[in-house]
Amino acid sequence: RAKQAGRNRCHFYRRDMNEQAVRRLEMEAALREALDRGDFTLHYQPQIRLETQRLHRVEALIRWTHARWGAVSPMEFIPLAEECGLVGQIDRWVLENAVAQLARWRADGLVVPGMAVNLSPERFAHGDLVEQVRHVLAVARVPPGDLTLEITERLMMIEEVSVHDTLDALSDLGVTLSIDDFGTGYSSLSYLKRFPVGELKIDRSFVKELDIDAANRPLVRAMIQIGQSLGLTVIAEGVERETQSRMLKADGCCMGQGYHYARPMPPDAFADWLHAWNARVAPDQTGCGEPE
Ligand code: C2E
Ligand code: MG
Ligand code: MG
Ligand code: MG
């Protein structure tokens, strides 16, 4: 009987695996198709200066709606795109379109101080990243200082000269490098002194229960202090409540991003949101996190 049950379990397990594998194969094909057909879109989420409540910049977040599956989360398809070698192409598309959108908003008279774009480690393997950044900025007439590239601790652990050189070249160009999901990757902090990082982005998992579970606050405080003592801008992601925003500000965090301010939005909705937001908050002042 035990043997029988074991066999059944194995059978179910295998069928389950097959379903997963089939879904992955289907999704990989669909991703290639979506790239060809230009089926991706970008949503934009504001990053807010906690001191003044003014818009600091926006982060571009990719969206994909599949004809049969509906909206597929980037948490599902970006890791898959990384595995099958497609994420470099996706990130190239995102960079070009996000910077072009920033230029369009500005042409429409909207004051959007900057754009942040996520880059997967794989994008660095393509070799043309610095050239693309330079090109895209020049075409859109966007100053390099208005672009932030969000990278992860995973990238910082790749001991390759080409990665180091690329990071240096990007920094020399004047774009800001931001460590996304800070605190969730590797415990080694030594990359912070070796690489031209300009910003730390405290991961949502620490901010999530900041005002509920007391264990989070010392960690968040420590991360803010690391950033401050190295002269880096610190931004907290996943701010959903006023209480979190107040705690972060009190602890010296400059910037916040999250549903408390706004969800990621399509370009038109963002423009409407910004008009309404600007009407509510005080005029800008130089303060925390302001570029010199
Ligand atoms: P991320 O870069 O850390 O982006 C933050 C994620 O948190 C976004 O999820 C955003 O919608 C979500 N978020 C923002 N505020 C809140 C909040 O207050 N509460 C909660 N619960 N969530 C919040 P999204 O858009 O699903 O993206 C997930 C991840 O997918 C991103 O994490 C990023 O790692 C990746 N991703 C998104 N777009 C791109 C892209 O263009 N290229 C690459 N390589 N990765 C991307
Ligand atoms: Mg990000
Ligand atoms: Mg993040
Ligand atoms: Mg994250």
Side-chain angles (χ1 to χ4, degrees), residues 44-73:
Y44 299 90
Q45 187 177 34
Q47 299 179 350
I48 300 294
R49 294 192 191 133
L50 296 180
E51 191 67 38
T52 61
Q53 295 281 294
R54 302 292 294 194
L55 178 70
H56 177 59
R57 63 169 100 89
V58 296
E59 178 179 2
L61 293 157
I62 194 165
R63 296 292 178 260
W64 180 32
T65 305
H66 184 270
R68 251 182 319 122
W69 304 324
V72 186
S73 164

PDB file of all heavy atoms in Angstrom, residues 44-73:
ATOM      1  N   TYR A  44       4.030  53.925 -14.236  1.00  0.00           N
ATOM      2  CA  TYR A  44       4.984  54.790 -13.542  1.00  0.00           C
ATOM      3  C   TYR A  44       4.511  55.045 -12.127  1.00  0.00           C
ATOM      4  O   TYR A  44       3.344  55.373 -11.904  1.00  0.00           O
ATOM      5  CB  TYR A  44       5.123  56.112 -14.316  1.00  0.00           C
ATOM      6  CG  TYR A  44       5.640  55.875 -15.707  1.00  0.00           C
ATOM      7  CD1 TYR A  44       4.766  55.641 -16.775  1.00  0.00           C
ATOM      8  CD2 TYR A  44       7.013  55.816 -15.952  1.00  0.00           C
ATOM      9  CE1 TYR A  44       5.244  55.383 -18.052  1.00  0.00           C
ATOM     10  CE2 TYR A  44       7.495  55.547 -17.223  1.00  0.00           C
ATOM     11  CZ  TYR A  44       6.610  55.336 -18.265  1.00  0.00           C
ATOM     12  OH  TYR A  44       7.089  55.068 -19.526  1.00  0.00           O
ATOM     13  N   GLN A  45       5.435  54.844 -11.179  1.00  0.00           N
ATOM     14  CA  GLN A  45       5.080  55.070  -9.775  1.00  0.00           C
ATOM     15  C   GLN A  45       5.946  56.185  -9.185  1.00  0.00           C
ATOM     16  O   GLN A  45       7.174  56.157  -9.303  1.00  0.00           O
ATOM     17  CB  GLN A  45       5.268  53.791  -8.950  1.00  0.00           C
ATOM     18  CG  GLN A  45       4.740  53.939  -7.529  1.00  0.00           C
ATOM     19  CD  GLN A  45       4.841  52.671  -6.712  1.00  0.00           C
ATOM     20  OE1 GLN A  45       5.779  51.883  -6.863  1.00  0.00           O
ATOM     21  NE2 GLN A  45       3.883  52.469  -5.821  1.00  0.00           N
ATOM     22  N   PRO A  46       5.298  57.174  -8.558  1.00  0.00           N
ATOM     23  CA  PRO A  46       6.040  58.311  -8.004  1.00  0.00           C
ATOM     24  C   PRO A  46       6.944  57.922  -6.835  1.00  0.00           C
ATOM     25  O   PRO A  46       6.614  57.029  -6.053  1.00  0.00           O
ATOM     26  CB  PRO A  46       4.930  59.249  -7.495  1.00  0.00           C
ATOM     27  CG  PRO A  46       3.674  58.784  -8.131  1.00  0.00           C
ATOM     28  CD  PRO A  46       3.844  57.326  -8.398  1.00  0.00           C
ATOM     29  N   GLN A  47       8.079  58.588  -6.755  1.00  0.00           N
ATOM     30  CA  GLN A  47       8.941  58.553  -5.578  1.00  0.00           C
ATOM     31  C   GLN A  47       8.875  59.959  -4.979  1.00  0.00           C
ATOM     32  O   GLN A  47       9.086  60.936  -5.691  1.00  0.00           O
ATOM     33  CB  GLN A  47      10.367  58.175  -5.976  1.00  0.00           C
ATOM     34  CG  GLN A  47      10.428  56.783  -6.625  1.00  0.00           C
ATOM     35  CD  GLN A  47      11.820  56.377  -7.062  1.00  0.00           C
ATOM     36  OE1 GLN A  47      12.744  57.187  -7.064  1.00  0.00           O
ATOM     37  NE2 GLN A  47      11.973  55.120  -7.438  1.00  0.00           N
ATOM     38  N   ILE A  48       8.608  60.013  -3.685  1.00  0.00           N
ATOM     39  CA  ILE A  48       8.253  61.285  -3.042  1.00  0.00           C
ATOM     40  C   ILE A  48       9.318  61.681  -2.020  1.00  0.00           C
ATOM     41  O   ILE A  48       9.809  60.835  -1.263  1.00  0.00           O
ATOM     42  CB  ILE A  48       6.883  61.126  -2.324  1.00  0.00           C
ATOM     43  CG1 ILE A  48       5.786  60.748  -3.332  1.00  0.00           C
ATOM     44  CG2 ILE A  48       6.517  62.370  -1.542  1.00  0.00           C
ATOM     45  CD1 ILE A  48       5.472  61.804  -4.355  1.00  0.00           C
ATOM     46  N   ARG A  49       9.662  62.974  -1.986  1.00  0.00           N
ATOM     47  CA  ARG A  49      10.555  63.482  -0.929  1.00  0.00           C
ATOM     48  C   ARG A  49       9.754  63.615   0.353  1.00  0.00           C
ATOM     49  O   ARG A  49       8.766  64.352   0.391  1.00  0.00           O
ATOM     50  CB  ARG A  49      11.094  64.860  -1.311  1.00  0.00           C
ATOM     51  CG  ARG A  49      11.984  64.800  -2.490  1.00  0.00           C
ATOM     52  CD  ARG A  49      12.735  66.110  -2.670  1.00  0.00           C
ATOM     53  NE  ARG A  49      13.355  66.045  -3.970  1.00  0.00           N
ATOM     54  CZ  ARG A  49      13.327  67.003  -4.873  1.00  0.00           C
ATOM     55  NH1 ARG A  49      12.754  68.149  -4.591  1.00  0.00           N
ATOM     56  NH2 ARG A  49      13.898  66.838  -6.027  1.00  0.00           N
ATOM     57  N   LEU A  50      10.181  62.915   1.398  1.00  0.00           N
ATOM     58  CA  LEU A  50       9.387  62.880   2.625  1.00  0.00           C
ATOM     59  C   LEU A  50       9.317  64.259   3.281  1.00  0.00           C
ATOM     60  O   LEU A  50       8.331  64.600   3.907  1.00  0.00           O
ATOM     61  CB  LEU A  50       9.969  61.847   3.592  1.00  0.00           C
ATOM     62  CG  LEU A  50       9.924  60.400   3.089  1.00  0.00           C
ATOM     63  CD1 LEU A  50      10.527  59.445   4.107  1.00  0.00           C
ATOM     64  CD2 LEU A  50       8.488  59.981   2.768  1.00  0.00           C
ATOM     65  N   GLU A  51      10.377  65.047   3.119  1.00  0.00           N
ATOM     66  CA  GLU A  51      10.430  66.369   3.756  1.00  0.00           C
ATOM     67  C   GLU A  51       9.380  67.323   3.191  1.00  0.00           C
ATOM     68  O   GLU A  51       8.629  67.946   3.930  1.00  0.00           O
ATOM     69  CB  GLU A  51      11.842  66.955   3.546  1.00  0.00           C
ATOM     70  CG  GLU A  51      12.138  68.192   4.352  1.00  0.00           C
ATOM     71  CD  GLU A  51      12.205  67.892   5.840  1.00  0.00           C
ATOM     72  OE1 GLU A  51      12.718  66.816   6.220  1.00  0.00           O
ATOM     73  OE2 GLU A  51      11.735  68.744   6.611  1.00  0.00           O
ATOM     74  N   THR A  52       9.341  67.389   1.868  1.00  0.00           N
ATOM     75  CA  THR A  52       8.488  68.394   1.212  1.00  0.00           C
ATOM     76  C   THR A  52       7.240  67.795   0.580  1.00  0.00           C
ATOM     77  O   THR A  52       6.365  68.534   0.142  1.00  0.00           O
ATOM     78  CB  THR A  52       9.273  69.089   0.084  1.00  0.00           C
ATOM     79  OG1 THR A  52       9.647  68.094  -0.888  1.00  0.00           O
ATOM     80  CG2 THR A  52      10.528  69.765   0.604  1.00  0.00           C
ATOM     81  N   GLN A  53       7.207  66.470   0.503  1.00  0.00           N
ATOM     82  CA  GLN A  53       6.103  65.764  -0.171  1.00  0.00           C
ATOM     83  C   GLN A  53       6.092  65.966  -1.688  1.00  0.00           C
ATOM     84  O   GLN A  53       5.156  65.589  -2.366  1.00  0.00           O
ATOM     85  CB  GLN A  53       4.734  66.200   0.391  1.00  0.00           C
ATOM     86  CG  GLN A  53       4.522  65.822   1.847  1.00  0.00           C
ATOM     87  CD  GLN A  53       4.148  64.353   2.005  1.00  0.00           C
ATOM     88  OE1 GLN A  53       3.101  63.895   1.589  1.00  0.00           O
ATOM     89  NE2 GLN A  53       5.057  63.585   2.594  1.00  0.00           N
ATOM     90  N   ARG A  54       7.159  66.600  -2.205  1.00  0.00           N
ATOM     91  CA  ARG A  54       7.192  66.833  -3.656  1.00  0.00           C
ATOM     92  C   ARG A  54       7.655  65.577  -4.394  1.00  0.00           C
ATOM     93  O   ARG A  54       8.345  64.724  -3.838  1.00  0.00           O
ATOM     94  CB  ARG A  54       8.163  67.990  -3.995  1.00  0.00           C
ATOM     95  CG  ARG A  54       7.845  69.290  -3.323  1.00  0.00           C
ATOM     96  CD  ARG A  54       6.576  69.897  -3.814  1.00  0.00           C
ATOM     97  NE  ARG A  54       6.614  70.316  -5.212  1.00  0.00           N
ATOM     98  CZ  ARG A  54       5.719  71.105  -5.784  1.00  0.00           C
ATOM     99  NH1 ARG A  54       4.702  71.582  -5.079  1.00  0.00           N
ATOM    100  NH2 ARG A  54       5.809  71.437  -7.040  1.00  0.00           N
ATOM    101  N   LEU A  55       7.303  65.550  -5.684  1.00  0.00           N
ATOM    102  CA  LEU A  55       7.749  64.444  -6.520  1.00  0.00           C
ATOM    103  C   LEU A  55       9.263  64.503  -6.701  1.00  0.00           C
ATOM    104  O   LEU A  55       9.817  65.546  -7.055  1.00  0.00           O
ATOM    105  CB  LEU A  55       7.072  64.521  -7.896  1.00  0.00           C
ATOM    106  CG  LEU A  55       7.489  63.439  -8.894  1.00  0.00           C
ATOM    107  CD1 LEU A  55       6.943  62.084  -8.475  1.00  0.00           C
ATOM    108  CD2 LEU A  55       7.021  63.792 -10.303  1.00  0.00           C
ATOM    109  N   HIS A  56       9.930  63.379  -6.458  1.00  0.00           N
ATOM    110  CA  HIS A  56      11.378  63.313  -6.668  1.00  0.00           C
ATOM    111  C   HIS A  56      11.658  62.764  -8.058  1.00  0.00           C
ATOM    112  O   HIS A  56      12.398  63.330  -8.840  1.00  0.00           O
ATOM    113  CB  HIS A  56      12.013  62.436  -5.599  1.00  0.00           C
ATOM    114  CG  HIS A  56      13.484  62.256  -5.769  1.00  0.00           C
ATOM    115  ND1 HIS A  56      14.352  63.326  -5.785  1.00  0.00           N
ATOM    116  CD2 HIS A  56      14.235  61.145  -5.946  1.00  0.00           C
ATOM    117  CE1 HIS A  56      15.584  62.869  -5.972  1.00  0.00           C
ATOM    118  NE2 HIS A  56      15.538  61.552  -6.070  1.00  0.00           N
ATOM    119  N   ARG A  57      11.070  61.613  -8.363  1.00  0.00           N
ATOM    120  CA  ARG A  57      11.125  61.049  -9.709  1.00  0.00           C
ATOM    121  C   ARG A  57      10.078  59.954  -9.812  1.00  0.00           C
ATOM    122  O   ARG A  57       9.305  59.754  -8.882  1.00  0.00           O
ATOM    123  CB  ARG A  57      12.528  60.529 -10.031  1.00  0.00           C
ATOM    124  CG  ARG A  57      13.011  59.397  -9.174  1.00  0.00           C
ATOM    125  CD  ARG A  57      14.276  58.792  -9.756  1.00  0.00           C
ATOM    126  NE  ARG A  57      15.496  59.242  -9.114  1.00  0.00           N
ATOM    127  CZ  ARG A  57      16.068  58.655  -8.056  1.00  0.00           C
ATOM    128  NH1 ARG A  57      15.498  57.614  -7.484  1.00  0.00           N
ATOM    129  NH2 ARG A  57      17.187  59.101  -7.564  1.00  0.00           N
ATOM    130  N   VAL A  58      10.044  59.266 -10.940  1.00  0.00           N
ATOM    131  CA  VAL A  58       9.115  58.141 -11.087  1.00  0.00           C
ATOM    132  C   VAL A  58       9.911  56.886 -11.448  1.00  0.00           C
ATOM    133  O   VAL A  58      10.975  56.973 -12.056  1.00  0.00           O
ATOM    134  CB  VAL A  58       8.046  58.398 -12.172  1.00  0.00           C
ATOM    135  CG1 VAL A  58       7.158  59.560 -11.783  1.00  0.00           C
ATOM    136  CG2 VAL A  58       8.673  58.634 -13.544  1.00  0.00           C
ATOM    137  N   GLU A  59       9.385  55.745 -11.044  1.00  0.00           N
ATOM    138  CA  GLU A  59       9.983  54.474 -11.444  1.00  0.00           C
ATOM    139  C   GLU A  59       9.114  53.839 -12.524  1.00  0.00           C
ATOM    140  O   GLU A  59       7.898  53.740 -12.380  1.00  0.00           O
ATOM    141  CB  GLU A  59      10.094  53.506 -10.260  1.00  0.00           C
ATOM    142  CG  GLU A  59      10.678  52.143 -10.684  1.00  0.00           C
ATOM    143  CD  GLU A  59      10.832  51.148  -9.524  1.00  0.00           C
ATOM    144  OE1 GLU A  59      10.457  51.465  -8.385  1.00  0.00           O
ATOM    145  OE2 GLU A  59      11.351  50.034  -9.785  1.00  0.00           O
ATOM    146  N   ALA A  60       9.766  53.415 -13.613  1.00  0.00           N
ATOM    147  CA  ALA A  60       9.064  52.709 -14.683  1.00  0.00           C
ATOM    148  C   ALA A  60       8.953  51.233 -14.317  1.00  0.00           C
ATOM    149  O   ALA A  60       9.945  50.601 -13.955  1.00  0.00           O
ATOM    150  CB  ALA A  60       9.830  52.862 -15.993  1.00  0.00           C
ATOM    151  N   LEU A  61       7.739  50.702 -14.376  1.00  0.00           N
ATOM    152  CA  LEU A  61       7.505  49.286 -14.067  1.00  0.00           C
ATOM    153  C   LEU A  61       6.767  48.642 -15.236  1.00  0.00           C
ATOM    154  O   LEU A  61       5.738  49.152 -15.690  1.00  0.00           O
ATOM    155  CB  LEU A  61       6.697  49.159 -12.773  1.00  0.00           C
ATOM    156  CG  LEU A  61       7.452  49.633 -11.520  1.00  0.00           C
ATOM    157  CD1 LEU A  61       6.503  50.013 -10.402  1.00  0.00           C
ATOM    158  CD2 LEU A  61       8.440  48.559 -11.049  1.00  0.00           C
ATOM    159  N   ILE A  62       7.327  47.547 -15.712  1.00  0.00           N
ATOM    160  CA  ILE A  62       6.784  46.937 -16.925  1.00  0.00           C
ATOM    161  C   ILE A  62       5.469  46.212 -16.651  1.00  0.00           C
ATOM    162  O   ILE A  62       5.269  45.670 -15.566  1.00  0.00           O
ATOM    163  CB  ILE A  62       7.821  45.974 -17.560  1.00  0.00           C
ATOM    164  CG1 ILE A  62       7.412  45.612 -18.987  1.00  0.00           C
ATOM    165  CG2 ILE A  62       8.017  44.727 -16.700  1.00  0.00           C
ATOM    166  CD1 ILE A  62       8.527  44.968 -19.792  1.00  0.00           C
ATOM    167  N   ARG A  63       4.595  46.251 -17.644  1.00  0.00           N
ATOM    168  CA  ARG A  63       3.306  45.560 -17.573  1.00  0.00           C
ATOM    169  C   ARG A  63       3.093  44.751 -18.840  1.00  0.00           C
ATOM    170  O   ARG A  63       3.482  45.185 -19.919  1.00  0.00           O
ATOM    171  CB  ARG A  63       2.155  46.581 -17.421  1.00  0.00           C
ATOM    172  CG  ARG A  63       2.208  47.367 -16.115  1.00  0.00           C
ATOM    173  CD  ARG A  63       1.935  46.445 -14.931  1.00  0.00           C
ATOM    174  NE  ARG A  63       2.019  47.102 -13.623  1.00  0.00           N
ATOM    175  CZ  ARG A  63       3.081  47.026 -12.818  1.00  0.00           C
ATOM    176  NH1 ARG A  63       4.163  46.382 -13.193  1.00  0.00           N
ATOM    177  NH2 ARG A  63       3.054  47.592 -11.626  1.00  0.00           N
ATOM    178  N   TRP A  64       2.482  43.585 -18.657  1.00  0.00           N
ATOM    179  CA  TRP A  64       2.223  42.720 -19.807  1.00  0.00           C
ATOM    180  C   TRP A  64       0.837  42.113 -19.681  1.00  0.00           C
ATOM    181  O   TRP A  64       0.534  41.459 -18.685  1.00  0.00           O
ATOM    182  CB  TRP A  64       3.281  41.609 -19.869  1.00  0.00           C
ATOM    183  CG  TRP A  64       3.111  40.659 -21.016  1.00  0.00           C
ATOM    184  CD1 TRP A  64       2.603  40.934 -22.251  1.00  0.00           C
ATOM    185  CD2 TRP A  64       3.455  39.266 -21.026  1.00  0.00           C
ATOM    186  NE1 TRP A  64       2.622  39.811 -23.040  1.00  0.00           N
ATOM    187  CE2 TRP A  64       3.144  38.764 -22.313  1.00  0.00           C
ATOM    188  CE3 TRP A  64       4.009  38.397 -20.086  1.00  0.00           C
ATOM    189  CZ2 TRP A  64       3.348  37.436 -22.671  1.00  0.00           C
ATOM    190  CZ3 TRP A  64       4.222  37.081 -20.455  1.00  0.00           C
ATOM    191  CH2 TRP A  64       3.907  36.609 -21.729  1.00  0.00           C
ATOM    192  N   THR A  65       0.001  42.386 -20.643  1.00  0.00           N
ATOM    193  CA  THR A  65      -1.327  41.769 -20.681  1.00  0.00           C
ATOM    194  C   THR A  65      -1.364  40.805 -21.858  1.00  0.00           C
ATOM    195  O   THR A  65      -1.214  41.209 -23.012  1.00  0.00           O
ATOM    196  CB  THR A  65      -2.427  42.841 -20.830  1.00  0.00           C
ATOM    197  OG1 THR A  65      -2.274  43.803 -19.775  1.00  0.00           O
ATOM    198  CG2 THR A  65      -3.800  42.201 -20.718  1.00  0.00           C
ATOM    199  N   HIS A  66      -1.558  39.540 -21.543  1.00  0.00           N
ATOM    200  CA  HIS A  66      -1.598  38.502 -22.557  1.00  0.00           C
ATOM    201  C   HIS A  66      -3.053  38.254 -22.965  1.00  0.00           C
ATOM    202  O   HIS A  66      -3.957  38.317 -22.134  1.00  0.00           O
ATOM    203  CB  HIS A  66      -0.970  37.224 -21.998  1.00  0.00           C
ATOM    204  CG  HIS A  66      -0.876  36.109 -22.988  1.00  0.00           C
ATOM    205  ND1 HIS A  66      -1.877  35.179 -23.147  1.00  0.00           N
ATOM    206  CD2 HIS A  66       0.093  35.794 -23.878  1.00  0.00           C
ATOM    207  CE1 HIS A  66      -1.524  34.323 -24.087  1.00  0.00           C
ATOM    208  NE2 HIS A  66      -0.335  34.676 -24.550  1.00  0.00           N
ATOM    209  N   ALA A  67      -3.253  37.991 -24.258  1.00  0.00           N
ATOM    210  CA  ALA A  67      -4.616  37.840 -24.785  1.00  0.00           C
ATOM    211  C   ALA A  67      -5.426  36.805 -23.993  1.00  0.00           C
ATOM    212  O   ALA A  67      -6.602  37.011 -23.711  1.00  0.00           O
ATOM    213  CB  ALA A  67      -4.555  37.443 -26.254  1.00  0.00           C
ATOM    214  N   ARG A  68      -4.801  35.670 -23.646  1.00  0.00           N
ATOM    215  CA  ARG A  68      -5.545  34.622 -22.949  1.00  0.00           C
ATOM    216  C   ARG A  68      -5.362  34.662 -21.437  1.00  0.00           C
ATOM    217  O   ARG A  68      -6.298  34.419 -20.683  1.00  0.00           O
ATOM    218  CB  ARG A  68      -5.092  33.250 -23.470  1.00  0.00           C
ATOM    219  CG  ARG A  68      -6.171  32.583 -24.305  1.00  0.00           C
ATOM    220  CD  ARG A  68      -5.744  31.201 -24.796  1.00  0.00           C
ATOM    221  NE  ARG A  68      -4.365  31.122 -25.255  1.00  0.00           N
ATOM    222  CZ  ARG A  68      -3.467  30.285 -24.739  1.00  0.00           C
ATOM    223  NH1 ARG A  68      -3.790  29.482 -23.748  1.00  0.00           N
ATOM    224  NH2 ARG A  68      -2.234  30.254 -25.218  1.00  0.00           N
ATOM    225  N   TRP A  69      -4.173  34.980 -20.984  1.00  0.00           N
ATOM    226  CA  TRP A  69      -3.886  34.911 -19.546  1.00  0.00           C
ATOM    227  C   TRP A  69      -4.238  36.197 -18.816  1.00  0.00           C
ATOM    228  O   TRP A  69      -4.217  36.246 -17.591  1.00  0.00           O
ATOM    229  CB  TRP A  69      -2.406  34.588 -19.303  1.00  0.00           C
ATOM    230  CG  TRP A  69      -1.949  33.333 -19.971  1.00  0.00           C
ATOM    231  CD1 TRP A  69      -2.682  32.191 -20.130  1.00  0.00           C
ATOM    232  CD2 TRP A  69      -0.668  33.092 -20.580  1.00  0.00           C
ATOM    233  NE1 TRP A  69      -1.936  31.250 -20.795  1.00  0.00           N
ATOM    234  CE2 TRP A  69      -0.699  31.765 -21.083  1.00  0.00           C
ATOM    235  CE3 TRP A  69       0.483  33.849 -20.739  1.00  0.00           C
ATOM    236  CZ2 TRP A  69       0.387  31.186 -21.742  1.00  0.00           C
ATOM    237  CZ3 TRP A  69       1.569  33.288 -21.383  1.00  0.00           C
ATOM    238  CH2 TRP A  69       1.512  31.969 -21.884  1.00  0.00           C
ATOM    239  N   GLY A  70      -4.482  37.260 -19.534  1.00  0.00           N
ATOM    240  CA  GLY A  70      -4.713  38.542 -18.875  1.00  0.00           C
ATOM    241  C   GLY A  70      -3.399  39.143 -18.399  1.00  0.00           C
ATOM    242  O   GLY A  70      -2.340  38.851 -18.964  1.00  0.00           O
ATOM    243  N   ALA A  71      -3.465  39.949 -17.335  1.00  0.00           N
ATOM    244  CA  ALA A  71      -2.258  40.598 -16.832  1.00  0.00           C
ATOM    245  C   ALA A  71      -1.339  39.562 -16.193  1.00  0.00           C
ATOM    246  O   ALA A  71      -1.756  38.817 -15.321  1.00  0.00           O
ATOM    247  CB  ALA A  71      -2.632  41.672 -15.826  1.00  0.00           C
ATOM    248  N   VAL A  72      -0.085  39.517 -16.632  1.00  0.00           N
ATOM    249  CA  VAL A  72       0.913  38.630 -16.032  1.00  0.00           C
ATOM    250  C   VAL A  72       1.863  39.503 -15.225  1.00  0.00           C
ATOM    251  O   VAL A  72       2.390  40.501 -15.738  1.00  0.00           O
ATOM    252  CB  VAL A  72       1.706  37.864 -17.108  1.00  0.00           C
ATOM    253  CG1 VAL A  72       2.638  36.845 -16.462  1.00  0.00           C
ATOM    254  CG2 VAL A  72       0.755  37.174 -18.097  1.00  0.00           C
ATOM    255  N   SER A  73       2.075  39.167 -13.956  1.00  0.00           N
ATOM    256  CA  SER A  73       2.924  39.986 -13.079  1.00  0.00           C
ATOM    257  C   SER A  73       4.397  39.906 -13.494  1.00  0.00           C
ATOM    258  O   SER A  73       4.897  38.828 -13.835  1.00  0.00           O
ATOM    259  CB  SER A  73       2.774  39.505 -11.640  1.00  0.00           C
ATOM    260  OG  SER A  73       3.832  40.010 -10.854  1.00  0.00           O
TER     261      SER A  73
END
